[in-house]
Amino acid sequence: MADWVGMGDKQLNSLVSLIEDLPLSDLRNVWFQHDGAPPHKVSGVQQYIRNTFQLQVIGYGGCVEWPPRSPDLNSLDFFLWGYIKQRVYVTPPPTLQELRNRITDACASVSPAMLYNVQREVQSRVQKCIVADGHLFEHDR
C-alpha cells in the first residue's frame, strides 16, 4: 500500500476503508475505471487494484480496454462530476462533514430519468466515435 504515490495516507486509508466496508455482494458490482493517472500505474497500486477488482477493471492494465483521457465517452467526466460539483458548491461547505453530506445528497438526487438520458448520450457518443474510427470527434452539448 505504501506505493500509492501522490495520495496521502489519510486519503488512501479512507479509500481502502470504503472498499473494505462494502458488502461482498456490492463489491461484485463495483468496477474500477482506470483514468491512466501515473499514481495508479505504480506496481503496488496495480496489485491492489487487481486483487480488489479482479476482472472488473476498465482501462490501463484492465480486462476491458478504455482509451486514456477520453471524456467524450466517459459519463463520469461529461455528466456526473459537473452535476455533483454544481450541487455541492452552490456555497462553500463550512465543514468537512457538510461537504460529505452534500456529496451524498447530490449523488442520491441523480434520478433514473437522468441516468436514462446519460445512457442515450453515451450511445450517441459511441456511435460518433465509431464513425470517426476512434479518432477525435465533435459532439453537441
Side-chain angles (χ1 to χ4, degrees):
M1 297 289 201
D3 289 339
W4 283 76
V5 176
M7 183 179 272
D9 288 339
K10 188 174 182 180
Q11 293 95 342
L12 174 59
N13 290 336
S14 295
L15 176 63
V16 170
S17 293
L18 174 69
I19 291 170
E20 289 175 350
D21 288 345
L22 284 173
L24 186 56
S25 59
D26 288 346
L27 189 56
R28 288 183 183 135
N29 294 319
V30 173
W31 284 71
F32 181 86
Q33 183 172 352
H34 199 301
D35 61 3
H40 299 163
K41 294 181 180 180
V42 175
S43 62
V45 174
Q46 282 293 295
Q47 188 62 47
Y48 178 79
I49 291 170
R50 278 191 298 276
N51 290 344
T52 304
F53 299 99
Q54 297 175 14
L55 298 178
Q56 293 176 205
V57 178
I58 300 169
Y60 178 84
C63 297
V64 177
E65 289 298 319
W66 190 269
R69 297 180 186 86
S70 59
D72 292 331
L73 300 177
N74 186 340
S75 58
L76 297 176
D77 286 336
F78 79 73
F79 165 70
L80 187 63
W81 301 141
Y83 176 79
I84 298 297
K85 282 182 173 181
Q86 182 181 31
R87 297 201 46 128
V88 168
Y89 294 108
V90 169
T91 60
T95 65
L96 182 57
Q97 187 57 51
E98 178 61 20
L99 175 62
R100 289 180 179 137
N101 293 343
R102 289 184 190 186
I103 292 169
T104 300
D105 292 345
C107 290
S109 73
V110 176
S111 70
M114 293 167 76
L115 294 176
Y116 176 78
N117 288 337
V118 170
Q119 178 211 2
R120 291 188 54 180
E121 179 65 20
V122 168
Q123 290 171 334
S124 170
R125 289 171 185 236
V126 167
Q127 184 58 42
K128 289 175 183 177
C129 185
I130 290 168
V131 168
D133 197 27
H135 298 281
L136 292 176
F137 59 91
E138 295 293 323
H139 56 86
D140 299 327
R141 292 227 174 220

